Amino acid sequence: MTSIAEISECLTGTLNSNSNVRMAAEIKLSQLSAIPETSLALSQLVVSQDGDMSLRQSATILLRKYVKERWSPYFQNFKGNAPSPEIKNQVRQAVFQGLSDPNRKIRSLCALVLTSIANCDWPDEYPDLLNNLISLISSGSPDAVHGAMQVFTEFIKADLTEDQILPVLRDLLPVLLSILGATEHQSPLTRSRTISVFRQCTISLYTVKEQHPVAVKEAIASVLPVWLEAFKVLLAIDPQTDVNGDNWDGLAIRIQIFKALETTHTSFPRALQPYMNDMLDLAVGHLDILYPMFDRYYLSSSDPIPSSSEDEPVHLSHLISAILDFISGMVRGGKAKSWFTAEHSAALISSVFKYAQMTDEDEETWANNANSFVAQEDDETQDYSVRVAGFDLLAALMDRNPAKITATFQSAIQQVIQTSEQARNSGNDNWWRPLEAALASIGSQAESIEDCLEDEEDSERPKPIDIESLLGGIIPTVLTLREHPFLQGRGFVFASQYAKLLPVQLAGQYIDAAVNVIESEEGSIPVKISAVRAVHNFCNGTDDAALTPFMARIARDMGPFIMQTSEDTLSLVLETLSVIVAVDKGTWMTSDLAHALVHAILDVWAKNNKDPILLSIFPDILESLCSASVEGIYEVVVKEALPSLCNSLSSAPLEESWTASSALELINALIRGEHAMGEGFFSVLAPHLFKCLAVVEDRDALQNGIVSLTLVVRKDCNQLVSWADESGRSGLDYVLTLVAKLLQGEDESAGLTIGDLIIHLLRRAGDAVLPVLPELLQAMVNRMTTAKTASFVQSLIIPFAFLITHQQDTVLSLLESTNVQGRSGLDILIHTWCENAETFQGFWASRISSMALSQLFMSERPSLQSLMVKGDIIVKPETRNVIMTRSRTKTTPTEFTSVSFPVKALKILVHDLQSGGESATFNAAGNAADLEEDDDDENWSDAEDGGAPKRDAELEFLSDLIGPKGLAFDNDDILDDTEDEDLKSDPISQMNMQEHLTWF
């Protein structure tokens, strides 16, 4: 049996400076971990008050590792030899005892161990845990409450089931409220955890309100007002009292309050409504009162930021972000719209401008990663910050009242310009920060502001903001301030964000200035990257007439730039290049420039072909180059790129399949270019392509290879049909082998593109496919018997549908003569088709399926007339109005009726016809029909005034998204980019399907 002394000796050895001693101790501990009694010895050492503190902490960490690896098969990393129930019980008792330990770190570590154990054991093997925890936090002991609260924070979030939530909350929330109010006995961080648990309880209540509407309504009516009153009292205390001491622990309470208010507003806005105005007043008051401290610690950097009394940091910036998030939610909710007067909105915008200033940490971070600086406004992957939260609040305000908020921007920016100039003249080194923040704030709303200006102009009302004066007066001055690179860079980005408002001549001047910065050897990195971002924005928002004179020069600069730029900024530079080469269809491109760009792109691709973000950009650049309207550019690009990519394709090791996959994506971009596929293109590609696809197992590589073949068939099928290798084996034979490989594989996702390839082969290759057609169809029917996913089933059925519309008797005869495990091929196809027809995706695929089914319905073939297929579900008395869980389905299997194929086909076609006209769900106008609500949810309705029209608009938009139900069957808008050009122009896509179905 493992003893405490033995464990202590090993743990002491792991702290020894001698590496040999440490290694021997670690090996011994690993061996002891396989002994169940080790967990008991560890837990006893953890709570041993006379033990060495470093050993006790190490024992707790090791015990948590033991739980993850040895406690139960529940854990993913379980290695076996779980302790007995008796040992587990003793360990749980010891760890629970550790929650009250006098040492804070021991309490926190025990809380982590107990949370891991609870995840596995509660409630079945540890039923008294919850009551024990509630008793512990009711004890009044600060140490015990601190330890228990750390368990509750995670426990409520992860472990309570729907049936357990309400009983637990009835016992727990009153105790938590008493701890929150115990200002003299409990620490601020412990009190803050009570609010965190309350917040999680609110989320839990929301999740069960449908199952227990009456109980939840009672709980909300009795619980929330008490807590909200407590929040109001706590927030009314001057926040300066929490930032004047040695630590900022008191801020943690305010942070959690504003997070809880946001959650309450999201979940139960009606309960919060009586408090909304007061809470908003308190929120704005906090922003005003705390700004001097924010300036002192984050902007002026005159003092170090105070640390927390525990390991978890508490920052003033966290509180400001929580306040801004809460206000944003209130704006979007609409229930406090009377509070958002012009005065309050102006105060909020002024606060955002102040808090959006670059902090010292921002300046240091963005100096090393300038892309983060210029990506703040539109990058969804950006790090969360006060600045981001402020921009989100501005966006919410703009959505509610764009004209008035835009006019407020005008007043605010003028005020900032004036005060910044005064600060500059007085020698303030930080004068530039407010101006940069104001420009960044207004720039973040550029799209909304431009839309607002357009609406006001159309209504013949005055412009609420004068962006032109900023672009013509303030920004040119800013661009000359080299000593303030972030402000200079912001000037470039701001100008490009409002590129649509620039006259052609002024736009040209800005572009020229940006290019000069990129070419300069003296410019700082933030300014250069800002100039690149500006070029990117100008290319997206300026007329080609202003851009074209500069494009060759900029593209020439970008080539070397992408080979030298750092990893952090490479994506921005590549994205910029991708929009540059698309300007004016590349009329400015030269052969030498195209050659240089392709060489640079392939060089950068070879070094970064594992980066998923960059890999999405390379194909766009090559496709644009291949689509250049200048004669000869396509040939230059293909000559430079294709041999190199083919070499990568055939030489990439199997374990580096991502190289082959990304090389195929680039090859596909060459084929997609808006030029005919050059003569001999496929003869260069084919040996490398088929060699790669014969051995590679990677799903993405296989899919991209199938796409390559499909594009070749669409662009110039004759090159595939006429190609053969040195032994005389044809390209079609290689294709058939590849299709067979994919059909035999278990990974259905790799074969999703097969259907498109086969369809285009049948449409383009004609008689050339006939020799291999029987074998191909046989393989597809065989795979139908095991296909599981709807999309893969569709890729197998649609080629048959196409063939039936062209060669019905031949295909049916072939299927009738095919035998698969005692069933005819026709039986397999029809059964699979009827079960999946209503799930088919894509405009052309749905139409070809309907067309083929209508032909089969009219066929008098005996094999079809006598075929029985699955009909409707049989609803039994014991399953009526019962949710069928997995266990219920096992005891009461779902059964279906059997109907003849013609009856089933008619039902499918009638359903298609209804979808094409007035369906049962949507009326002719595309609005929702008046359906009776069956969830009695009126008590939870929180729609704002005018909610019904908004709901109608949302449903109308939804009807457009889900297709035929909301649109006429033959609406051309359905033919979007999801269908390739070949299928859009196919007669099936052009015919009046509703008329055809009605006629037949």
Side-chain angles (χ1 to χ4, degrees):
M1 178 175 176
T2 309
S3 66
I4 296 180
E6 191 175 8
I7 289 291
S8 298
E9 181 181 353
C10 290
L11 290 174
T12 302
T14 62
L15 302 175
N16 196 293
S17 58
N18 188 312
S19 60
N20 293 328
V21 175
R22 286 201 312 273
M23 187 178 300
E26 290 169 358
I27 293 173
K28 179 67 172 175
L29 282 175
S30 179
Q31 294 170 348
L32 291 175
S33 294
I35 303 174
E37 289 79 4
T38 297
S39 60
L40 184 58
L42 285 168
S43 64
Q44 291 170 346
L45 177 57
V46 168
V47 296
S48 175
Q49 294 300 310
D50 56 354
D52 181 82
M53 185 55 64
S54 61
L55 294 185
R56 293 177 64 197
Q57 292 180 16
S58 297
T60 317
I61 295 170
L62 186 60
L63 180 58
R64 191 181 186 210
K65 182 175 184 292
Y66 177 93
V67 170
K68 298 276 190 180
E69 296 179 352
R70 300 288 182 179
W71 192 262
S72 166
Y74 167 86
F75 294 103
Q76 187 175 357
N77 297 325
F78 180 66
K79 296 181 178 180
N81 293 341
S84 65
E86 293 76 17
I87 292 177
K88 284 186 176 183
N89 188 48
Q90 294 180 62
V91 171
R92 287 191 289 256
Q93 290 177 3
V95 176
F96 191 89
Q97 179 184 338
L99 296 179
S100 305
D101 195 274
N103 184 273
R104 177 179 59 80
K105 289 189 175 181
I106 294 296
R107 295 196 300 270
S108 298
L109 289 170
C110 285
L112 291 174
V113 175
L114 193 66
T115 300
S116 296
I117 292 175
N119 289 339
C120 169
D121 292 357
W122 189 85
D124 297 336
E125 298 178 38
Y126 198 2
D128 55 350
L129 170 63
L130 204 52
N131 290 333
N132 291 345
L133 285 171
I134 293 176
S135 298
L136 197 60
I137 63 172
S138 303
S139 66
S141 165
D143 290 344
V145 172
H146 173 264
M149 284 307 306
Q150 293 186 78
V151 178
F152 265 122
T153 302
E154 295 300 322
F155 187 77
I156 297 294
K157 185 185 304 181
D159 290 291
L160 291 183
T161 65
E162 292 177 355
D163 295 332
Q164 296 161 342
I165 288 172
L166 287 169
V168 168
L169 299 192
R170 290 192 189 100
D171 296 332
L172 177 62
L173 287 176
V175 181
L176 294 179
L177 192 60
S178 66
I179 296 172
L180 177 61
T183 56
E184 297 181 358
H185 299 94
Q186 303 296 342
S187 71
L189 292 179
T190 295
R191 294 168 60 214
S192 75
R193 290 189 180 100
T194 65
I195 305 171
S196 176
V197 174
F198 164 78
R199 176 170 169 255
Q200 192 58 49
C201 291
T202 304
I203 295 173
S204 300
L205 283 173
Y206 180 77
T207 62
V208 300
K209 73 174 182 132
E210 299 293 341
Q211 291 82 4
H212 308 282
V214 176
V216 170
K217 188 175 181 181
E218 292 176 357
I220 293 304
S222 60
V223 171
L224 283 187
V226 180
W227 281 83
L228 293 174
E229 284 290 348
F231 292 163
K232 183 178 173 183
V233 170
L234 290 171
L235 290 179
I237 300 172
D238 188 348
Q240 291 190 80
T241 58
D242 292 328
V243 290
N244 287 329
D246 296 333
N247 62 58
W248 285 352
D249 288 359
L251 293 181
I253 296 176
R254 299 176 189 271
I255 293 170
Q256 291 301 328
I257 286 177
F258 280 108
K259 287 185 175 181
L261 289 174
E262 183 185 12
T263 299
T264 304
H265 176 253
T266 303
S267 305
F268 304 104
R270 282 190 174 182
L272 183 62
Q273 192 162 9
Y275 303 88
M276 285 181 177
N277 289 355
D278 290 337
M279 295 302 185
L280 286 168
D281 287 337
L282 290 166
V284 174
H286 274 61
L287 294 177
D288 290 338
I289 294 170
L290 292 172
Y291 177 72
M293 300 300 289
F294 184 83
D295 178 70
R296 172 182 171 185
Y297 287 101
Y298 291 89
L299 303 180
S300 301
S301 191
S302 57
D303 295 299
I305 297 175
S307 60
S308 166
S309 62
E310 295 188 15
D311 297 332
E312 186 176 347
V314 178
H315 289 299
L316 176 57
S317 58
H318 296 166
L319 174 57
I320 303 304
S321 296
I323 293 172
L324 294 174
D325 287 342
F326 165 65
I327 299 173
S328 296
M330 298 296 288
V331 175
R332 292 191 170 97
K335 285 188 173 296
K337 55 187 175 183
S338 61
W339 183 90
F340 290 95
T341 61
E343 181 182 356
H344 284 148
S345 297
L348 286 174
I349 291 172
S350 177
S351 289
V352 170
F353 280 21
K354 290 190 295 185
Y355 280 105
Q357 292 179 71
M358 286 179 60
T359 65
D360 296 308
E361 183 181 0
D362 290 336
E363 193 169 356
E364 182 179 346
T365 301
W366 294 341
N368 297 321
N369 180 10
N371 192 40
S372 297
F373 166 58
V374 296
Q376 283 286 307
E377 296 80 46
D378 54 12
D379 188 355
E380 294 181 357
T381 64
Q382 62 194 304
D383 292 333
Y384 190 71
S385 65
V386 171
R387 187 172 226 191
V388 174
F391 291 168
D392 183 60
L393 174 54
L394 296 181
L397 290 169
M398 282 293 296
D399 287 342
R400 281 292 172 189
N401 200 334
K404 290 185 178 179
I405 298 302
T406 302
T408 308
F409 283 156
Q410 172 72 15
S411 310
I413 188 66
Q414 293 302 322
Q415 180 66 28
V416 170
I417 291 171
Q418 182 179 349
T419 55
S420 295
E421 184 65 24
Q422 292 172 354
R424 182 185 185 186
N425 293 335
S426 64
N428 187 332
D429 292 337
N430 289 321
W431 70 268
W432 60 272
R433 291 180 191 265
L435 181 56
E436 189 279 334
L439 292 175
S441 298
I442 295 178
S444 72
Q445 309 305 314
E447 186 175 346
S448 297
I449 290 176
E450 286 179 342
D451 290 342
C452 173
L453 291 174
E454 186 176 338
D455 291 341
E456 296 302 291
E457 184 178 352
D458 291 343
S459 302
E460 298 183 350
R461 291 190 291 264
K463 293 181 179 180
I465 190 171
D466 190 358
I467 296 293
E468 286 84 352
S469 69
L470 295 175
L471 296 173
I474 302 301
I475 303 303
T477 304
V478 164
L479 297 185
T480 64
L481 300 175
R482 293 187 178 182
E483 66 274 22
H484 300 294
F486 287 107
L487 178 57
Q488 185 184 15
R490 178 58 57 195
F492 278 115
V493 175
F494 182 87
S496 66
Q497 288 171 319
Y498 289 97
K500 294 179 181 178
L501 303 181
L502 285 169
V504 172
Q505 183 179 358
L506 189 55
Q509 293 174 5
Y510 272 114
I511 297 170
D512 184 53
V515 178
N516 288 335
V517 167
I518 294 172
E519 294 175 343
S520 171
E521 297 181 0
E522 300 178 357
S524 65
I525 294 299
V527 179
K528 283 183 176 290
I529 296 303
S530 298
V532 173
R533 170 64 72 177
V535 169
H536 180 280
N537 293 344
F538 278 124
C539 289
N540 281 328
T542 307
D543 290 338
D544 288 349
L547 295 170
T548 303
F550 299 94
M551 288 303 98
R553 176 185 168 193
I554 298 175
R556 196 173 294 109
D557 293 335
M558 287 292 106
F561 203 65
I562 63 173
M563 300 174 71
Q564 299 169 5
T565 189
S566 66
E567 182 178 348
D568 293 328
T569 57
L570 183 55
S571 62
L572 169 61
V573 178
L574 286 172
E575 287 172 1
T576 303
L577 182 58
S578 72
V579 297
I580 288 172
V581 295
V583 169
D584 201 19
K585 290 275 187 183
T587 54
W588 43 270
M589 186 67 66
T590 65
S591 297
D592 291 343
L593 180 55
H595 181 279
L597 289 175
V598 173
H599 177 76
I601 289 299
L602 294 181
D603 184 70
V604 176
W605 167 78
K607 298 174 182 176
N608 298 274
N609 57 22
K610 289 181 66 175
D611 189 316
I613 296 176
L614 299 183
L615 289 179
S616 65
I617 306 173
F618 292 122
D620 293 338
I621 298 174
L622 284 186
E623 184 174 345
S624 293
L625 287 171
C626 284
S627 302
S629 57
V630 178
E631 186 176 351
I633 298 298
Y634 170 79
E635 289 76 13
V636 170
V637 175
V638 171
K639 183 178 179 180
E640 177 71 19
L642 185 59
S644 176
L645 293 171
C646 286
N647 183 58
S648 298
L649 196 61
S650 57
S651 63
L654 282 178
E655 62 272 15
E656 297 181 9
S657 58
W658 61 83
T659 301
S661 178
S662 59
L664 284 167
E665 283 195 81
L666 297 187
I667 291 170
N668 293 345
L670 299 179
I671 305 174
R672 284 194 178 98
E674 296 179 8
H675 286 278
M677 197 170 71
E679 190 66 34
F681 186 104
F682 189 70
S683 62
V684 175
L685 171 63
H688 305 277
L689 176 62
F690 289 128
K691 176 185 175 182
C692 171
L693 297 181
V695 296
V696 75
E697 297 295 335
D698 179 72
R699 176 186 62 192
D700 293 334
L702 288 169
Q703 285 186 338
N704 289 336
I706 292 291
V707 171
S708 297
L709 290 169
T710 305
L711 290 170
V712 168
V713 171
R714 289 177 52 202
K715 276 293 187 85
D716 192 347
C717 186
N718 187 56
Q719 289 199 36
L720 170 64
V721 173
S722 61
W723 181 84
D725 64 11
E726 295 177 353
S727 65
R729 186 180 178 191
S730 70
L732 285 176
D733 190 40
Y734 274 104
V735 171
L736 181 63
T737 301
L738 175 62
V739 170
K741 172 185 175 180
L742 292 176
L743 290 178
Q744 292 168 6
E746 295 183 3
D747 184 3
E748 296 188 355
S749 58
L752 295 181
T753 49
I754 286 180
D756 286 341
L757 173 61
I758 296 174
I759 285 294
H760 286 292
L761 267 176
L762 296 175
R763 295 178 71 249
R764 295 281 186 174
D767 294 342
V769 184
L770 292 179
V772 300
L773 189 59
E775 188 177 352
L776 177 63
L777 299 184
Q778 170 82 39
M780 294 169 67
V781 170
N782 285 343
R783 189 64 174 88
M784 280 183 202
T785 59
T786 57
K788 296 181 177 64
T789 60
S791 51
F792 185 58
V793 169
Q794 176 177 328
S795 70
L796 298 175
I797 292 176
I798 294 304
F800 282 98
F802 174 80
L803 286 172
I804 286 171
T805 61
H806 289 74
Q807 304 176 39
Q808 176 177 313
D809 292 336
T810 303
V811 174
L812 293 180
S813 298
L814 180 63
L815 289 170
E816 288 170 346
S817 63
T818 301
N819 186 285
V820 180
Q821 300 175 356
R823 296 173 61 190
S824 72
L826 182 63
D827 179 34
I828 294 171
L829 172 66
I830 296 301
H831 270 86
T832 309
W833 195 343
C834 289
E835 289 181 24
N836 293 274
E838 294 179 1
T839 69
F840 289 167
Q841 302 293 312
F843 185 69
W844 186 87
S846 299
R847 282 181 156 232
I848 198 71
S849 173
S850 297
M851 176 67 77
L853 281 176
S854 66
Q855 290 186 204
L856 294 177
F857 175 81
M858 292 186 291
S859 170
E860 298 181 358
R861 208 175 186 93
S863 58
L864 287 173
Q865 297 294 321
S866 61
L867 198 58
M868 302 298 290
V869 297
K870 184 186 292 186
D872 297 326
I873 190 171
I874 299 175
V875 180
K876 302 177 182 178
E878 61 268 27
T879 62
R880 187 182 301 274
N881 298 324
V882 174
I883 298 175
M884 296 300 291
T885 61
R886 207 175 283 176
S887 58
R888 285 174 179 159
T889 304
K890 287 181 180 179
T891 57
T892 312
T894 303
E895 297 181 14
F896 295 85
T897 61
S898 291
V899 297
S900 65
F901 164 69
V903 172
K904 182 68 175 181
L906 184 60
K907 291 186 70 172
I908 294 171
L909 293 172
V910 169
H911 177 270
D912 285 347
L913 185 60
Q914 286 181 329
S915 298
E918 293 185 20
S919 71
T921 308
F922 292 87
N923 60 32
N927 295 326
D930 294 329
L931 301 178
E932 182 179 351
E933 295 283 353
D934 61 359
D935 59 357
D936 192 25
D937 199 35
E938 63 180 5
N939 291 328
W940 300 102
S941 176
D942 292 299
E944 61 183 285
D945 295 335
K950 182 178 179 182
R951 175 177 170 83
D952 289 344
E954 288 173 348
L955 286 169
E956 185 174 352
F957 174 66
L958 178 63
S959 72
D960 290 346
L961 289 181
I962 62 177
K965 281 191 175 182
L967 296 171
F969 197 95
D970 294 290
N971 192 316
D972 291 338
D973 291 340
I974 300 176
L975 294 174
D976 57 17
D977 292 337
T978 59
E979 304 280 1
D980 59 49
E981 293 298 328
D982 293 4
L983 297 183
K984 286 182 182 180
S985 59
D986 189 87
I988 291 291
S989 298
Q990 304 299 322
M991 69 179 295
N992 188 324
M993 182 60 70
Q994 189 172 6
E995 182 179 302
H996 168 77
L997 292 178
T998 304
W999 170 83
F1000 111 90

